[in-house]
Amino acid sequence: MNNSMIIGQYVPAESVIHKMDPRSKIAIIFFFVLIVFFANSVMSYGLLTVFGVTAAASSKVPLRFIMKGLTPVWFLIIFTFLLHLIVTKEGDVLYNLLGWKIYEEGVVQGAAISLRFFLLILVTSLLTLTTTPIEITDAIEELLGPLKKIRFPVHELALMMSISLRFIPTLMQETEKISKAQASRGVDFRTGSFKDRLKAIVPLLVPLFVSAFKRAEELAMAMEARGYRGGEGRTKLRELKVGKVDFIIYALFLLVVIGLFLTRS
């Protein structure tokens, strides 16, 4: 398993989060993404952080795997924080180094935005880490079910989203394998001018696109060979059911939402 990218990977485990109905996970994550932008105090951010970290711990996904999987976004998080230190010029001056002043409001805003970004990536990643692609497809299809009345291709859309998530780690592994193969042939991706680096990417992109199209063709042929003709008239092996665990998580999340709005400054 490629640990450098956690989006799209599923980690099997016996946890409370794994046992939840996938529709409940999608609904809670959707509203979590919305309410995280309403936090504006230490207490409200604290509640969201406790909820996100507790959810990650309850999933029984190895913490080392999650943190290593978040490595690609650490640069953006740190860059966002530093950008606010440079741009924001409000509040008291906390530090002055050779004319470069760090303001209190810059530190506060930088920390808040960086924490938001971290929580969004952490919580949304739990969806694919604890839910199989088939469950995600069924959940999206159920949630978008009312759109079928206006002849919207709900099943096809859910299937495309599920396949896309499933192939993210596959394409990342393929990219890593091709880049190592090209590097062994003398292709240098790290040194030289920008133009040279851009030219070096071509030997990486061409086989990657060829491999992606080949996999897509093989998948289409496999689905056709198994009699796939769209969602019309199809039945499901497992029916989605909302259980006690889902209602308990809903209640806890509702308490977090109420606490967030009560602690807003």
Side-chain angles (χ1 to χ4, degrees), residues 133-170:
I134 295 177
E135 290 177 336
I136 294 176
T137 303
D138 293 341
I140 294 176
E141 187 175 357
E142 290 284 340
L143 293 173
L144 299 179
L147 296 178
K148 292 181 180 179
K149 296 180 180 179
I150 59 175
R151 299 184 179 276
F152 188 82
V154 174
H155 176 79
E156 286 72 15
L157 176 64
L159 182 64
M160 286 190 299
M161 294 177 64
S162 176
I163 292 175
S164 300
L165 288 173
R166 171 62 185 85
F167 272 89
I168 288 176
T170 303

Side-chain angles (χ1 to χ4, degrees), residues 8-250:
Q9 295 189 11
Y10 170 70
V11 180
E14 290 292 330
S15 70
V16 175
I17 308 299
H18 283 76
K19 294 178 181 178
M20 287 181 62
D21 188 285
R23 294 170 297 180
S24 300
K25 298 180 192 178
I26 293 175
I28 290 176
I29 290 173
F30 174 77
F31 286 107
F32 182 88
V33 171
L34 292 180
I35 67 171
V36 75
F37 293 99
F38 288 95
N40 62 353
S41 66
V42 176
M43 288 296 295
S44 57
Y45 278 111
L47 283 173
L48 294 176
T49 303
V50 169
F51 180 82
V53 172
T54 303
S58 301
S59 67
K60 294 185 178 180
V61 177
L63 179 61
R64 182 181 301 176
F65 172 72
I66 295 178
M67 298 307 294
K68 190 173 182 180
L70 290 173
T71 301
V73 301
W74 282 120
F75 170 77
L76 292 177
I77 294 175
I78 296 173
F79 175 77
T80 301
F81 179 74
L82 295 177
L83 185 63
H84 278 82
L85 292 184
I86 297 172
V87 175
T88 306
K89 305 293 183 181
E90 301 176 2
D92 299 330
V93 177
L94 299 180
Y95 191 74
N96 190 344
L97 178 62
L98 301 176
W100 179 43
K101 298 179 180 180
I102 298 178
Y103 293 84
E104 180 182 3
E105 195 64 24
V107 175
V108 173
Q109 290 186 13
I113 300 300
S114 299
L115 181 58
R116 283 181 185 176
F117 192 36
F118 171 76
L119 291 175
L120 289 175
I121 297 297
L122 176 64
V123 175
T124 52
S125 299
L126 289 178
L127 176 63
T128 54
L129 289 173
T130 62
T131 315
T132 63
I134 295 177
E135 290 177 336
I136 294 176
T137 303
D138 293 341
I140 294 176
E141 187 175 357
E142 290 284 340
L143 293 173
L144 299 179
L147 296 178
K148 292 181 180 179
K149 296 180 180 179
I150 59 175
R151 299 184 179 276
F152 188 82
V154 174
H155 176 79
E156 286 72 15
L157 176 64
L159 182 64
M160 286 190 299
M161 294 177 64
S162 176
I163 292 175
S164 300
L165 288 173
R166 171 62 185 85
F167 272 89
I168 288 176
T170 303
L171 290 177
M172 293 299 298
Q173 292 175 359
E174 194 73 19
T175 303
E176 184 179 1
K177 183 173 67 175
I178 295 173
S179 63
K180 289 181 178 179
Q182 298 292 11
S184 66
R185 292 178 174 88
V187 179
D188 191 357
F189 298 100
R190 298 184 178 181
T191 60
S193 63
F194 178 76
K195 185 178 180 180
D196 294 334
R197 293 185 186 182
L198 199 60
K199 288 181 179 180
I201 295 178
V202 176
L204 175 64
L205 292 180
V206 172
L208 181 62
F209 274 103
V210 171
S211 175
F213 284 122
K214 183 179 179 181
R215 288 181 183 275
E217 184 180 3
E218 291 175 351
L219 178 61
M221 292 176 62
M223 293 173 66
E224 186 176 355
R226 287 167 173 78
Y228 177 77
R229 294 295 183 272
E232 198 66 32
R234 289 178 62 86
T235 58
K236 294 182 176 61
L237 178 62
R238 299 178 180 85
E239 294 292 335
L240 301 179
K241 294 182 180 179
V242 179
K244 295 181 180 179
V245 174
D246 299 273
F247 288 112
I248 294 174
I249 302 299
Y250 274 130

